[in-house]
Amino acid sequence: MKRLRRSSKKQLFFWGLVLVTCFVVVTVRPVAAQYSSNRFLTSPPTPLLQGEGRQIDNLGEESIDTSNLVSQGKINEESGHLADTIKTWQEAVKDYEKVGDRMNQALALHYLSLAYQDGGQWQQAEVTINQSLDLLQPQANPAILAPILNTKGSLQLAMGQPQAALDTWKQAETVYAQADDQMGVLGSKINQAQAWQSLGMVQRSRQLLESVQPQLTTQPDSIMKATGLRSLGRVWEAIGDLPAAQTILQESLAVAQRLNSAPDISAALLSLGNISRNLAEMPAALAYYQQAAEIATTPLSQVQAKLNQLKLIIHLEQFTDAQELVPQIQRNLSQLSPSREAIYAQVNYAERLIELVETADLHPQEINYKTIAQQLADTLKAAKRLNDKRAESLSLGILGKVYDKTQQWSQAQDLTEQALFLSQSINAADLSYQWDWQLAQILTKVGDKKSAIAANKQAFDTVQSLRGDLVAMNADVRFSFQEEIEPIYRHLVSLLLDSPSPEHLQQARTVIESLQLAELENFFRTACLETQAEQIDTVIEKGDTKAAVIYPIILPNRLAVILSLPGHPLQTYHTNVSSPDIEATISRLRQTMNPALSNKERLKLSQTVYDWLIRPIDNQLTSNQIKTLVFVLDGVLRNIPMTALYDGNQYLIEKYSVALTPGLQLLEPRSLKQVPLFSLTAGLTEARQGFLPLPAVKQEVKEISDDLPSEILLNETFTHAKIEKELKNHSVNILHLATHGQFSSQPKDTFILTWDKRLNANTLSQLLKTREQSNSEPIELLVLSACQTATGDKRAALGLAGLAVRSGARSTIATLWSVNDQSTADTMIKFYRHLRQGDGNRAEALRQAQLSLLKQEAYQHPYYWAPFVLVGNWL
């Protein structure tokens, strides 16, 4: 055997550094892979080259000249020849094993693991990376061991093991420190932040990133710094802080510009475009995409930027601009060499063309389904030549979509089933759920309802298993959640309700509640329910057999309702009304809650919604002696108060206590009669940060403290730091905040106003979670008495539901709109009085407070009493 030449050693280690030492969050694709063609593209993977040029002197005495294998492996990897890449690294592993060269064998195994990960072969990837580490231990060179640990962490995260990934990345940080590699240390910390976020520990993630950011920004300008900042920006994006992500990405761009590194400039611009898109800054997003394309140094990166630009232009219905961009993309695609990335770009392009044919009046000779199908057929051939099963599955699936559009359902079904078989064979769950969902739609159209339910159920189950990745980690899914994920849930509910057996009704209820939770996780970018929870049915059995649960479900052609009565099987009823008509009615009803508008129209609209939801079950509610109605509201229905529904003679609040919940699961039920109450009561009476004064808050705070033992924070003492301190130092079970606030469909716009700052939804919920870490008892009641849902935001009440769930409080009381200062104070004072003097039932105490306003001539209009809603446990 020939001894490995020193130049070959250096070459091998250089490739090792390129392939191994990276910020894995960006480089290794997790289960929610960026390859799914209906997503926006991220910038190309950008390894952080740590320690380039270092050499290893102990590679082993007996070795072989494998420089050709190393070069070929790199060439195959770059060209997207996945099967050839795997084969090359397998040969390298065998050759190094023959001569006992453990170090290089470990490196080759590591590259092989990366190739397996690219192909979605997770088990093989796991086995191989563990073999690599076993060969290196215990006397491994830190410069080799650390990046391999980083890659193992990324694999664990991709396989849904965030705690294991966190532990591995902590170990990688230690080893990087031993290697005196500061950039490696920082990269491992960034990865740990991603793991903390995946575990639902947003505050821990944020604290870690805040410690990393100044260390990274003070590094001298280098490609490594530009790449590291870009990686940091993406993790800020992952935890939902888009402004912070935008700021750090702009720093990355500035570094790349000072270095005049065109590839890094283009990559930063592409990432900034994605951030701007998620911030709804569409003109800025389009400008970033255009600049990224202009500066791109390769046809691939250029076409990626243009494809993002095209998708956004179509979303904005700028069809003339889209038609001008199409031939430019075609030219770019024609310049691409055959590779996996080229195939993904082709499939992505085909999907954009399908959207154009669907939504724009284009000349048939320019773009039509026939030409799209031909392009996909060519793409499929290329995927087969590369022996790339994932690319082949993508091509087949989208080709099936084209046949579906042309109503050739037999061919569409066959192609979709082939795509599904391939995705399942490589464990590509993020593709499988799409093909199951597509198959369910095709089967529904041909009338095979039983098979459609089975396929839709499989898509739902897969999305549930991936939900943490699809929703909490992938910004592109967040952007298109309503268009791409939500329909899977609603279609399944519709199919189940078409044949409403007891089993199907149970399944439909589970699905719609899963959608509610998925929406909240999409809102917060992290898991919402972390505490021990109980089913609502159990709550009713234990503590309130006079409560009924009502699940309205908005479907395309009807408003369906599932009713749960104590001691009875589930039942369903519906009204034939389209979802656009439902939305218009609810929007108009919300507007008529303004006292300046017509009472006649308000009552008419309130009665319409009453007829949809309550009229069909009036007699059953009466015969079962129901006293409390618990609503699991869907979509725009969250934006109106159920208490103000009108039966023609009286409001719903005059007959029932009303509570809301985002789903079946609640904290263990407990009446307030069972616990000694202590309140932390805080409020603002003075104008702050552009908001008007709330003079009645002073009276509200005083009288609440007269009824309850309380710690009071008023005006300048009502600060973030002071609240945090008081929550830690006192056994608070009621937190009452009398201040301005807003609920929005965007976490950054959901906030509570304190004297010194705005506490957004994530910060407030984490503050309460931190308090619970030192106090095992959750807050019994969180009251937000002067907040409102954001004007013009039809999903704004999602912020209220999200904050209520994430707070960990058993119950939350808030207002759907900011009402009269004095009437709000009166309501809150009476609520606490009824709470102490009555049986401790929160829903009934709130009802009595609202009725007291309704009986006053000055406050009879629902504007004054209706916006108060109770979310969570009503006992």
Side-chain angles (χ1 to χ4, degrees):
M1 289 290 178
K2 294 181 180 177
R3 196 178 298 269
L4 182 64
R5 296 189 303 269
R6 186 169 182 81
S7 60
S8 297
K9 290 183 184 180
K10 184 174 180 180
Q11 181 185 25
L12 175 60
F13 186 58
F14 173 75
W15 288 129
L17 289 166
V18 173
L19 291 171
V20 180
T21 4
C22 55
F23 283 154
V24 292
V25 174
V26 222
T27 311
V28 179
R29 274 70 62 182
V31 235
Q34 66 193 50
Y35 299 136
S36 181
S37 60
N38 55 352
R39 309 280 183 249
F40 279 87
L41 296 166
T42 61
S43 53
T46 47
L48 182 60
L49 309 183
Q50 298 149 7
E52 180 180 344
R54 296 179 189 170
Q55 300 175 23
I56 298 178
D57 296 323
N58 59 342
L59 289 177
E61 289 303 313
E62 291 297 327
S63 191
I64 55 176
D65 187 350
T66 58
S67 57
N68 289 335
L69 275 178
V70 174
S71 299
Q72 189 59 49
K74 180 62 180 174
I75 291 169
N76 289 335
E77 192 264 341
E78 288 182 339
S79 62
H81 291 271
L82 184 60
D84 291 340
T85 303
I86 290 174
K87 183 179 179 181
T88 299
W89 293 123
Q90 286 172 336
E91 291 176 4
V93 170
K94 291 178 181 177
D95 286 343
Y96 281 124
E97 185 178 13
K98 287 178 183 177
V99 298
D101 190 341
R102 295 169 63 89
M103 184 73 72
N104 282 319
Q105 185 185 350
L107 282 171
L109 282 164
H110 170 261
Y111 307 150
L112 180 58
S113 177
L114 289 173
Y116 281 141
Q117 290 179 55
D118 278 344
Q121 300 176 58
W122 305 109
Q123 290 182 343
Q124 297 95 319
E126 184 178 27
V127 169
T128 308
I129 198 70
N130 287 334
Q131 289 175 343
S132 175
L133 289 168
D134 288 343
L135 284 169
L136 287 175
Q137 299 290 1
Q139 299 297 326
N141 185 303
I144 293 292
L145 175 61
I148 296 179
L149 286 169
N150 249 351
T151 297
K152 181 178 180 179
S154 75
L155 176 61
Q156 290 167 325
L157 189 67
M159 295 177 70
Q161 302 166 14
Q163 183 60 57
L166 178 63
D167 295 340
T168 301
W169 280 327
K170 286 181 178 178
Q171 186 182 355
E173 178 189 350
T174 301
V175 180
Y176 271 124
Q178 293 170 1
D180 195 26
D181 189 337
Q182 181 62 20
M183 293 301 289
V185 170
L186 295 176
S188 296
K189 287 182 176 179
I190 293 173
N191 288 339
Q192 290 171 45
Q194 179 72 85
W196 280 120
Q197 190 272 337
S198 298
L199 288 165
M201 303 297 288
V202 177
Q203 188 63 18
R204 291 290 295 271
S205 179
R206 180 181 297 277
Q207 290 170 352
L208 189 55
L209 292 178
E210 287 174 348
S211 70
V212 168
Q213 189 164 331
Q215 298 177 57
L216 191 56
T217 54
T218 55
Q219 295 290 316
D221 282 354
S222 66
I223 298 299
M224 289 184 285
K225 178 179 178 179
T227 304
L229 289 169
R230 192 158 68 249
S231 301
L232 181 58
R234 291 178 191 168
V235 181
W236 274 121
E237 180 185 9
I239 71 168
D241 195 333
L242 299 183
Q246 192 174 51
T247 298
I248 203 71
L249 285 168
Q250 286 169 343
E251 289 186 44
S252 175
L253 174 62
V255 172
Q257 288 172 331
R258 288 194 293 270
L259 296 171
N260 198 27
S261 174
D264 291 283
I265 294 171
S266 180
L269 288 168
L270 184 56
S271 291
L272 281 165
N274 293 338
I275 294 291
S276 296
R277 179 200 74 222
N278 282 300
L279 286 169
E281 298 170 354
M282 301 309 181
L286 287 174
Y288 280 128
Y289 291 147
Q290 188 172 1
Q291 292 176 57
E294 291 171 353
I295 295 173
T297 56
T298 66
L300 178 62
S301 55
Q302 189 173 62
V303 79
Q304 286 176 328
K306 287 183 178 179
L307 283 168
N308 278 21
Q309 184 181 353
L310 178 62
K311 183 170 175 64
L312 186 53
I313 285 172
I314 294 171
H315 175 77
L316 297 173
E317 300 183 352
Q318 298 175 7
F319 300 121
T320 301
D321 292 340
Q323 292 182 62
E324 292 177 0
L325 192 57
V326 163
Q328 299 176 33
I329 294 175
Q330 287 176 331
R331 286 193 296 271
N332 284 129
L333 288 172
S334 67
Q335 299 171 25
L336 297 181
S337 301
S339 69
R340 159 177 278 203
E341 286 74 16
I343 291 173
Y344 296 147
Q346 290 278 5
V347 174
N348 188 300
Y349 178 59
E351 283 214 276
R352 304 293 76 77
L353 295 185
I354 292 171
E355 290 177 3
L356 283 174
V357 173
E358 287 181 313
T359 56
D361 184 18
L362 296 174
H363 193 277
Q365 276 74 35
E366 295 178 10
I367 300 175
N368 55 56
Y369 287 126
K370 184 177 180 179
T371 57
I372 297 171
Q374 184 57 57
Q375 181 220 313
L376 284 168
D378 294 339
T379 303
L380 179 58
K381 291 177 183 176
K384 288 181 176 179
R385 284 194 298 269
L386 292 175
N387 195 23
D388 190 326
K389 301 298 183 186
R390 187 182 180 92
E392 192 177 341
S393 176
L394 266 176
S395 303
L396 282 165
I398 304 306
L399 188 56
K401 184 176 183 178
V402 173
Y403 277 94
D404 178 29
K405 297 295 182 183
T406 58
Q407 301 183 12
Q408 300 178 69
W409 289 309
S410 177
Q411 296 93 325
Q413 181 178 342
D414 181 60
L415 289 163
T416 305
E417 287 174 342
Q418 290 182 55
L420 179 59
F421 175 79
L422 283 172
S423 64
Q424 290 173 337
S425 72
I426 60 171
N427 297 316
D430 58 303
L431 290 185
S432 294
Y433 87 83
Q434 296 181 60
W435 308 148
D436 271 315
W437 164 228
Q438 184 167 291
L439 186 60
Q441 296 173 85
I442 295 168
L443 292 167
T444 301
K445 292 169 186 174
V446 300
D448 189 350
K449 290 290 183 68
K450 183 177 180 181
S451 298
I453 289 175
N456 207 151
K457 180 68 164 55
Q458 185 59 51
F460 164 76
D461 289 342
T462 306
V463 167
Q464 287 293 96
S465 70
L466 293 177
R467 193 173 64 200
D469 297 298
L470 287 173
V471 176
M473 293 169 60
N474 193 311
D476 299 327
V477 175
R478 292 202 299 270
F479 179 75
S480 54
F481 179 85
Q482 287 180 275
E483 293 78 21
E484 296 176 14
I485 303 299
E486 190 173 318
I488 297 173
Y489 292 77
R490 294 195 185 279
H491 191 264
L492 179 55
V493 170
S494 180
L495 289 172
L496 292 168
L497 294 184
D498 283 343
S499 51
S501 65
E503 181 185 3
H504 281 178
L505 287 179
Q506 290 282 0
Q507 290 177 359
R509 182 173 74 165
T510 298
V511 172
I512 203 64
E513 289 183 334
S514 297
L515 172 60
Q516 299 251 345
L517 182 56
E519 284 183 305
L520 294 177
E521 290 180 341
N522 179 57
F523 174 81
F524 275 106
R525 280 82 164 169
T526 189
C528 290
L529 289 174
E530 300 166 13
T531 50
Q532 185 65 38
E534 292 212 12
Q535 301 293 329
I536 232 181
D537 294 345
T538 305
V539 175
I540 290 174
E541 289 172 7
K542 287 183 177 180
D544 191 353
T545 57
K546 300 302 180 183
V549 188
I550 298 172
Y551 302 80
I553 306 163
I554 300 173
L555 300 173
N557 60 352
R558 66 193 189 275
L559 178 63
V561 183
I562 296 176
L563 172 66
S564 176
L565 287 171
H568 293 269
L570 295 176
Q571 56 184 286
T572 184
Y573 51 96
H574 70 268
T575 303
N576 292 322
V577 55
S578 70
S579 55
D581 287 342
I582 295 170
E583 189 170 308
T585 301
I586 299 301
S587 176
R588 186 59 188 156
L589 176 56
R590 171 65 185 252
Q591 293 172 20
T592 61
M593 290 294 168
N594 187 325
L597 298 181
S598 166
N599 268 333
K600 183 178 180 181
E601 183 181 9
R602 173 179 57 78
L603 292 173
K604 180 182 177 181
L605 292 168
S606 294
Q607 191 166 338
T608 296
V609 181
Y610 184 96
D611 291 343
W612 291 345
L613 301 181
I614 308 299
R615 185 82 65 191
I617 56 171
D618 257 335
N619 293 335
Q620 292 186 73
L621 296 176
T622 301
S623 62
N624 283 276
Q625 300 180 341
I626 297 300
K627 296 181 181 294
T628 302
L629 299 182
V630 182
F631 289 90
V632 182
L633 294 176
D634 186 29
V636 294
L637 290 167
R638 300 185 188 107
N639 290 335
I640 59 169
M642 294 293 105
T643 53
L645 299 187
Y646 190 66
D647 69 357
N649 295 303
Q650 58 186 165
Y651 294 108
L652 196 64
I653 192 66
E654 296 181 82
K655 297 192 287 184
Y656 303 102
S657 299
V658 174
L660 309 178
T661 177
L664 279 176
Q665 293 184 316
L666 298 170
L667 289 170
E668 182 183 1
R670 180 164 67 170
S671 168
L672 291 181
K673 278 289 186 183
Q674 303 171 15
V675 292
L677 299 180
F678 183 87
S679 171
L680 174 58
T681 305
L684 293 179
T685 64
E686 301 179 17
R688 295 296 294 173
Q689 303 176 49
F691 288 87
L692 295 173
L694 297 169
V697 163
K698 186 174 183 179
Q699 175 197 1
E700 179 180 337
V701 169
K702 179 182 182 303
E703 298 211 25
I704 290 172
S705 65
D706 289 342
D707 276 338
L708 294 172
S710 303
E711 181 73 21
I712 297 175
L713 303 176
L714 197 61
N715 293 327
E716 64 271 9
T717 61
F718 177 21
T719 64
H720 179 192
K722 191 68 173 175
I723 290 180
E724 186 172 13
K725 179 181 177 182
E726 295 300 327
L727 284 173
K728 287 181 179 179
N729 293 343
H730 294 89
S731 297
V732 173
N733 43 35
I734 295 178
L735 176 60
H736 184 103
L737 304 178
T739 179
H740 291 286
Q742 178 176 273
F743 305 113
S744 167
S745 60
Q746 296 294 323
K748 67 182 179 66
D749 295 325
T750 294
F751 65 88
I752 303 299
L753 190 70
T754 67
W755 181 265
D756 58 337
K757 63 169 68 174
R758 295 182 180 186
L759 298 183
N760 66 31
N762 276 316
T763 304
L764 179 61
S765 63
Q766 194 60 42
L767 186 152
L768 297 176
K769 289 291 183 185
T770 302
R771 175 258 184 195
E772 286 181 22
Q773 291 173 6
S774 57
N775 186 338
S776 59
E777 287 298 320
I779 287 178
E780 291 288 341
L781 183 62
L782 170 64
V783 180
L784 309 168
S785 75
C787 300
Q788 63 180 335
T789 50
T791 304
D793 184 349
K794 66 182 182 181
R795 303 181 77 228
L798 190 64
L800 166 56
L803 194 150
V805 172
R806 279 291 302 285
S807 72
R810 294 184 195 274
S811 308
T812 299
I813 292 178
T815 50
L816 292 175
W817 56 81
S818 185
V819 295
N820 178 278
D821 183 34
Q822 187 59 53
S823 65
T824 299
D826 289 350
T827 303
M828 290 294 100
I829 292 166
K830 288 183 172 63
F831 165 72
Y832 284 107
R833 199 155 293 162
H834 286 294
L835 197 64
R836 291 297 298 270
Q837 295 174 359
D839 61 2
N841 184 290
R842 295 161 237 221
E844 181 60 21
L846 182 59
R847 174 175 178 260
Q848 292 299 329
Q850 290 174 293
L851 288 176
S852 67
L853 281 188
L854 178 58
K855 292 172 184 176
Q856 298 179 49
E857 185 175 351
Y859 298 138
Q860 284 183 346
H861 195 284
Y863 167 80
Y864 297 101
W865 54 263
F868 299 94
V869 294
L870 172 65
V871 182
N873 198 302
W874 63 92
L875 296 180

